[in-house]
């Protein structure tokens, strides 16, 4: 017996249905906002993530599934989607298509972190990236699209927190101020933070252990006039879009590439794994990865966590509408034709095994959750008909001719 790996799981019904529902809601919303799908590889060159996500981030430093493949290449399973999208944008000159470079992706991400409820080593993200638009309208559109998507999927009770990390200039000044502050309280920092504040002081504020307490006491970043205006306009437009949000000046994100707007969507319903989605603007990333100067903004949503939030919502009934039962080999052939015709008319249909006894087939019909059993016994076979037995209303049974059966069943199902 070979089990699955820790942190890697099988998605079984009904949870797999939940994932499909969330993805369908996402595709619908993306269509409304002009986003097109990109399918990017799960495996990339390791340096793609080191250079973009950042070498001092937890994701790259501790959580990445990186290895040398059989050909001696340093590769890594993608821990997030943005680097792959940016690589594809550059590699295929997507800035030249004449259409907005608005892309979404849906797929598995891989991080070797400690598995627990809402935290897995393989998990699904739905992400959106808008490359090429520096304006606050792009930020506001991206965030409001995420909020609409969560609403569409049926998620309630989420809160949006936003902040601005400023541009490279604002950050350069802040880096020194923050570094001074952190050096002053080094003994209160956890070991990993102590060793990386010189390389990346901002990272300490996003530390899982003492980040929140630090962020509260640390000096705040002050924005240059252009960044302040950008942040103000973004907020105004979020208001126009009817998005409720809170400014949290302690919010920093765990990735290196963010500039200006960053945000997180949280819920109180998931305990410590409370982040449902997060994202922000990354104006310098495309250029730093060897592409054209292309300001961008995006986010990623954790589908596993959204599915947890929706677990107790009634799922649409995906039981077959009809269950076909046949009494003999000959009746089985008619039954098979009937199923084919029903499905062609959009009526879901299932069966067990026409070679089993009628009693056994009827037991399966009862368990299937179908509305009607359609039975072709010896009498029905002779009459070119089938018996329609309601599995919901006891004693409700009638005969209908096989020809025209799909329309008759449709009427009975009121579809
Ligand atoms: P967290 O603070 O929970 O570790 P994160 O900041 O690492 O989240 P991001 O990299 O911003 O997460 O990814 C966006 C979303 O992906 C998160 O808000 C979360 O919903 C989901 N996510 C991240 N890591 C995992 C994981 N290991 N298992 C399940 N979902 C995850
Ligand atoms: Mg994390």
């Amino acid at each position: 017996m070979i089990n699955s790996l820790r942190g890697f799981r099988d998605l079984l019904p009904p949870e797999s249905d939940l994932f499909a529902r969330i993805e369908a809601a996402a595709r619908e919303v993306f269509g409304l906002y002009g986003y097109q799908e990109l399918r990017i590889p799960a495996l990339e060159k390791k340096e793609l993530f080191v250079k973009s996500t950042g070498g001092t981030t937890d994701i790259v430093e501790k959580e990445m599934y990186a290895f040398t493949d059989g050909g001696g290449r340093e590769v890594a399973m993608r821990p997030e989607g943005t680097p792959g999208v940016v690589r594809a944008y550059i590699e295929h000159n997507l800035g030249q298509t004449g259409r907005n470079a608005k892309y979404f992706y849906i797929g598995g991400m891989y991080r070797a972190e400690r598995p627990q409820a809402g935290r897995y080593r393989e998990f699904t993200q739905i992400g959106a990236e808008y490359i090429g638009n520096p304006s606050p309208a792009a930020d506001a559109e991206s965030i409001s699209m995420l909020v609409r998507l969560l609403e569409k999927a049926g998620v309630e009770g989420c809160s949006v927190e936003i902040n601005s990390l400023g541009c490279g200039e604002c950050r350069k000044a802040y880096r020194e101020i923050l570094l001074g502050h952190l050096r002053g309280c080094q003994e209160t920092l956890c070991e990993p933070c102590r060793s990386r504040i010189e390389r990346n002081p901002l990272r300490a504020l996003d530390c899982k252990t003492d980040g929140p307490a630090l962020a509260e006491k640390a000096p705040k970043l002050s924005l240059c006039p252009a960044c302040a205006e950008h942040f103000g306009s973004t907020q105004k437009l979020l208001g126009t879009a009817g998005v409720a949000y809170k400014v949290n000046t302690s919010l920093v994100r765990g990735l290196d590439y963010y500039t200006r707007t960053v945000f997180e969507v949280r819920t109180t319903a998931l305990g410590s794994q409370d982040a449902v989605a997060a994202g922000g603007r990354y104006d310098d990333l495309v250029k730093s990865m060897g592409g054209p100067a292309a300001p961008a903004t995006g986010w990623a949503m954790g589908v596993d966590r959204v599915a947890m939030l929706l677990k107790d919502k009634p799922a649409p009934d995906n039981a077959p509408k009809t269950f076909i039962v046949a009494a003999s080999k000959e009746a089985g052939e008619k039954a098979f034709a009937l199923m084919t015709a029903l499905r062609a008319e959009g009526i879901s249909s299932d069966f067990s095994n026409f070679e089993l006894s009628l009693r056994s087939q009827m037991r399966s019909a009862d368990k299937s959750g179908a509305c009607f059993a359609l039975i072709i016994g010896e009498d029905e076979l002779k009459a070119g008909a089938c018996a329609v037995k309601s599995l919901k209303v006891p004693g409700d049974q009638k005969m209908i001719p096989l020809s025209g059966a799909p329309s008759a069943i449709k009427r009975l199902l009121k579809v």
Side-chain angles (χ1 to χ4, degrees), residues 165-242:
L165 300 179
C167 60
E169 288 304 305
C170 315
R171 282 255 274 288
K172 205 155 49 186
Y174 181 60
R175 190 182 184 279
E176 295 313 312
I177 298 170
L178 181 63
L179 190 56
H181 173 82
L182 292 173
R183 281 188 187 132
C185 58
Q186 262 198 43
E187 61 294 347
T188 68
L189 302 179
C190 67
E191 181 46 46
C193 281
R194 230 175 292 165
S195 66
R196 69 185 165 198
I197 54 170
E198 300 292 330
R199 280 185 295 156
N200 192 342
L202 219 66
R203 181 72 51 248
L205 303 184
D206 194 46
C207 168
K208 281 266 180 316
T209 351
D210 40 32
L214 265 180
E216 221 144 86
K217 285 197 219 103
K220 300 277 181 273
L221 181 143
S222 61
L223 299 174
C224 71
C227 287
E229 195 193 325
H230 193 278
F231 193 36
S233 302
T234 300
Q235 290 178 58
K236 188 149 177 263
L237 291 169
L238 279 175
T240 306

Side-chain angles (χ1 to χ4, degrees), residues 26-107:
R27 286 175 189 281
E28 198 183 322
V29 172
F30 286 135
L32 292 173
Y33 286 77
Y35 277 70
Q36 297 179 281
E37 184 170 13
L38 270 194
R39 299 200 183 201
I40 46 175
L43 193 72
E44 300 264 9
K45 289 181 183 159
K46 180 183 169 185
E47 59 172 323
L48 174 70
F49 304 110
V50 175
K51 281 201 181 140
S52 54
T53 310
T56 61
T57 59
D58 280 352
I59 295 177
V60 169
E61 230 173 20
K62 299 190 215 148
E63 300 170 357
M64 205 150 69
Y65 280 98
F67 56 96
T68 312
D69 77 359
R73 287 167 287 258
E74 294 285 326
V75 295
M77 299 295 291
R78 61 180 178 201
E80 58 146 346
T82 306
V85 172
V86 167
R87 181 199 46 68
Y89 175 87
I90 299 169
E91 193 167 328
H92 305 289
N93 286 315
L94 294 179
Q96 306 292 312
T97 63
R99 268 190 80 158
N100 269 340
K102 285 177 158 181
Y103 299 106
F104 75 88
Y105 59 84
I106 300 178

Side-chain angles (χ1 to χ4, degrees), residues 40-345:
I40 46 175
L43 193 72
E44 300 264 9
K45 289 181 183 159
K46 180 183 169 185
E47 59 172 323
L48 174 70
F49 304 110
V50 175
K51 281 201 181 140
S52 54
T53 310
T56 61
T57 59
D58 280 352
I59 295 177
V60 169
E61 230 173 20
K62 299 190 215 148
E63 300 170 357
M64 205 150 69
Y65 280 98
F67 56 96
T68 312
D69 77 359
R73 287 167 287 258
E74 294 285 326
V75 295
M77 299 295 291
R78 61 180 178 201
E80 58 146 346
T82 306
V85 172
V86 167
R87 181 199 46 68
Y89 175 87
I90 299 169
E91 193 167 328
H92 305 289
N93 286 315
L94 294 179
Q96 306 292 312
T97 63
R99 268 190 80 158
N100 269 340
K102 285 177 158 181
Y103 299 106
F104 75 88
Y105 59 84
I106 300 178
M109 303 296 154
Y110 303 84
R111 298 183 193 177
E113 39 187 345
R114 194 168 70 78
Q116 51 199 290
R119 193 175 292 287
Y120 310 98
R121 291 179 171 170
E122 180 186 56
F123 57 99
T124 302
Q125 279 188 343
I126 295 178
E129 315 290 355
Y130 183 1
I131 305 177
N133 189 340
S135 94
D139 301 66
E141 183 193 54
S142 171
I143 297 170
S144 59
M145 176 174 72
L146 170 60
V147 170
R148 290 289 109 78
L149 198 170
L150 288 165
E151 280 169 11
K152 184 101 216 161
V155 177
E156 287 159 18
C158 282
S159 57
V160 180
E161 293 191 354
I162 67 170
N163 191 21
S164 175
L165 300 179
C167 60
E169 288 304 305
C170 315
R171 282 255 274 288
K172 205 155 49 186
Y174 181 60
R175 190 182 184 279
E176 295 313 312
I177 298 170
L178 181 63
L179 190 56
H181 173 82
L182 292 173
R183 281 188 187 132
C185 58
Q186 262 198 43
E187 61 294 347
T188 68
L189 302 179
C190 67
E191 181 46 46
C193 281
R194 230 175 292 165
S195 66
R196 69 185 165 198
I197 54 170
E198 300 292 330
R199 280 185 295 156
N200 192 342
L202 219 66
R203 181 72 51 248
L205 303 184
D206 194 46
C207 168
K208 281 266 180 316
T209 351
D210 40 32
L214 265 180
E216 221 144 86
K217 285 197 219 103
K220 300 277 181 273
L221 181 143
S222 61
L223 299 174
C224 71
C227 287
E229 195 193 325
H230 193 278
F231 193 36
S233 302
T234 300
Q235 290 178 58
K236 188 149 177 263
L237 291 169
L238 279 175
T240 306
V243 173
Y245 64 90
K246 223 174 70 198
V247 174
N248 174 1
T249 53
S250 301
L251 180 69
V252 281
R253 297 276 313 131
L255 313 177
D256 276 353
Y257 48 67
Y258 285 118
T259 52
R260 293 192 160 173
T261 319
V262 288
F263 62 92
E264 267 180 21
V265 179
R266 306 187 164 279
T267 162
T268 48
L270 289 179
S272 52
Q273 268 55 259
D274 63 351
V276 173
R281 178 163 278 289
Y282 50 96
D283 284 346
D284 307 324
L285 180 63
V286 178
K287 185 143 193 256
S288 77
M289 297 304 288
T297 181
W299 48 256
M301 179 184 104
V303 182
D304 303 69
R305 291 186 194 172
V306 172
M308 283 169 81
L309 292 171
L310 298 178
K311 213 168 54 217
D312 301 323
K313 300 242 164 176
D317 185 9
N318 61 0
K321 293 285 184 232
T322 62
F323 199 95
I324 318 298
V325 171
S328 64
K329 190 159 183 280
E330 210 187 332
E333 273 168 37
K334 294 278 183 230
F336 201 83
L338 175 59
M339 273 198 306
T340 308
L342 287 168
R343 290 170 181 155
E345 288 293 319

